[in-house]
Amino acid sequence: METLSTNRSFGGVQGVYSHASAETGTGMTFSVYVPPQAADLEPGAKLPVLWYLSGLTCTHANVTEKGNFRAACAEHGIIFVAPDTSPRGDDVPDDEAYDFGKGAGFFVDAVQEPWAANFRMRSYIESELPALIAEHFPADMTRQGITGHSMGGHGALTIALRNPDRFRSVSAFAPIASPLACPWGEKALGGYLGPDRDTWRKHDAVALIEDGARLDHLLVDQGTADNFLTEQLKTGLLALACRKAGIPAAIRMQEGYDHSYYFIETFMAEHIGWHAERLK
């Protein structure tokens, strides 16, 4: 692992790092904020971890620079990890559209060519990067939470639903709730996984809940002025699925907020505090 930069912030350290990924076959960059409590840990003591998955077209840098999470993480003693959304590099296949290819990995392991060799973001996020975080940071991997925005919200929900014993807390900002039911999802899942829609279900939060996956609790914030709400995000389908399954879910429609980081930064500290209660 290579350290690209470190900056002091709210008494902790905001770092940006890179490594050679065996899963994607590329170099991958990610950011980690380690709060000030790490400096005073007893030997063997560790801090809880909150994962943040970014949305379409984004890298680790979007939330690192605009997410306003560090003060809350410093207050609650939480390590904040922000991975990339897809493999990068000149040899990595891409698409001209913003919603497919680089920046649009959808946190799946592709099986279709030419994507299969590099687009393995599910395995990267679920296995490879957590092992690296556990090795290099004072991270308590028995106390993990996960959140994300838009495509990253889709990733956070589906990863948590598939791994209920790993994550103590789950939230999302304007997630793509049902990729099977929206143009973004149909394009990405069809392109990466092929035409068999049954294989898509494990990458759709609504379908996973319908098929029996459960969460102990869920927090979702969604802006009512979000241009993608009706066609792409399908928040109502997630709310309905949670009600039918008896999942305690606070799915909050925030009046006048859009899809941008102005929306995310408004509610970020509240989400971190919510995770902190469940990660103690």
Side-chain angles (χ1 to χ4, degrees):
M1 189 180 76
E2 180 183 356
T3 300
L4 301 182
S5 67
T6 58
N7 296 93
R8 195 78 169 165
S9 182
F10 292 98
V13 176
Q14 176 64 66
V16 178
Y17 309 91
S18 67
H19 73 115
S21 168
E23 288 292 348
T24 69
T26 68
M28 296 294 288
T29 302
F30 60 96
S31 75
V32 180
Y33 177 71
V34 178
Q37 290 86 345
D40 299 320
L41 289 174
E42 297 292 332
K46 297 181 179 182
L47 297 173
V49 181
L50 179 59
W51 295 83
Y52 177 93
L53 306 184
S54 294
L56 283 167
T57 75
C58 294
T59 70
H60 70 282
N62 296 75
V63 70
T64 304
E65 297 170 2
K66 298 186 290 187
N68 282 350
F69 57 86
R70 281 172 286 270
C73 286
E75 176 185 352
H76 296 290
I78 291 177
I79 294 172
F80 191 97
V81 182
D84 204 343
T85 52
S86 73
R88 309 278 174 175
D90 293 340
D91 296 330
V92 175
D94 197 10
D95 189 88
E96 292 182 355
Y98 76 94
D99 55 357
F100 197 68
K102 293 179 186 178
F106 268 81
F107 303 101
V108 304
D109 284 350
V111 298
Q112 297 292 104
E113 297 300 335
W115 316 103
N118 304 116
F119 282 73
R120 296 186 51 79
M121 291 304 294
R122 174 184 177 179
S123 292
Y124 178 72
I125 297 297
E126 289 187 357
S127 300
E128 185 177 14
L129 188 56
L132 194 71
I133 297 298
E135 179 182 357
H136 291 280
F137 299 92
D140 185 349
M141 307 308 280
T142 68
R143 291 188 291 160
Q144 295 185 76
I146 191 167
T147 187
H149 171 231
S150 193
M151 180 186 73
H154 139 75
L157 294 175
T158 55
I159 289 171
L161 285 162
R162 291 193 303 261
N163 299 275
D165 296 332
R166 180 179 297 184
F167 298 98
R168 293 193 186 183
S169 56
V170 188
S171 76
F173 301 89
I176 303 173
S178 183
L180 276 81
C182 75
W184 277 344
E186 290 187 353
K187 180 177 182 177
L189 298 185
Y192 294 134
L193 303 178
D196 184 358
R197 293 176 66 92
D198 286 341
T199 66
W200 301 6
R201 295 186 66 82
K202 61 187 176 183
H203 301 288
D204 181 297
V206 171
L208 282 164
I209 293 170
E210 291 174 348
D211 293 344
R214 295 292 181 265
L215 298 171
D216 291 336
H217 37 247
L218 175 63
L219 173 63
V220 172
D221 277 312
Q222 171 63 60
T224 62
D226 191 323
N227 292 336
F228 303 115
L229 174 57
T230 301
E231 182 179 23
Q232 302 285 11
L233 304 180
K234 307 296 182 181
T235 309
L237 295 181
L238 177 63
L240 179 61
C242 288
R243 285 199 299 271
K244 287 183 175 180
I247 295 175
I251 299 178
R252 311 185 303 189
M253 303 303 295
Q254 303 292 357
E255 187 66 31
Y257 284 91
D258 60 17
H259 201 68
S260 72
Y261 267 84
Y262 295 110
F263 157 64
I264 296 169
E265 70 176 358
T266 301
F267 300 101
M268 177 66 84
E270 188 176 351
H271 276 239
I272 290 171
W274 185 87
H275 282 276
E277 292 179 1
R278 289 153 180 82
L279 296 175
K280 289 180 180 176

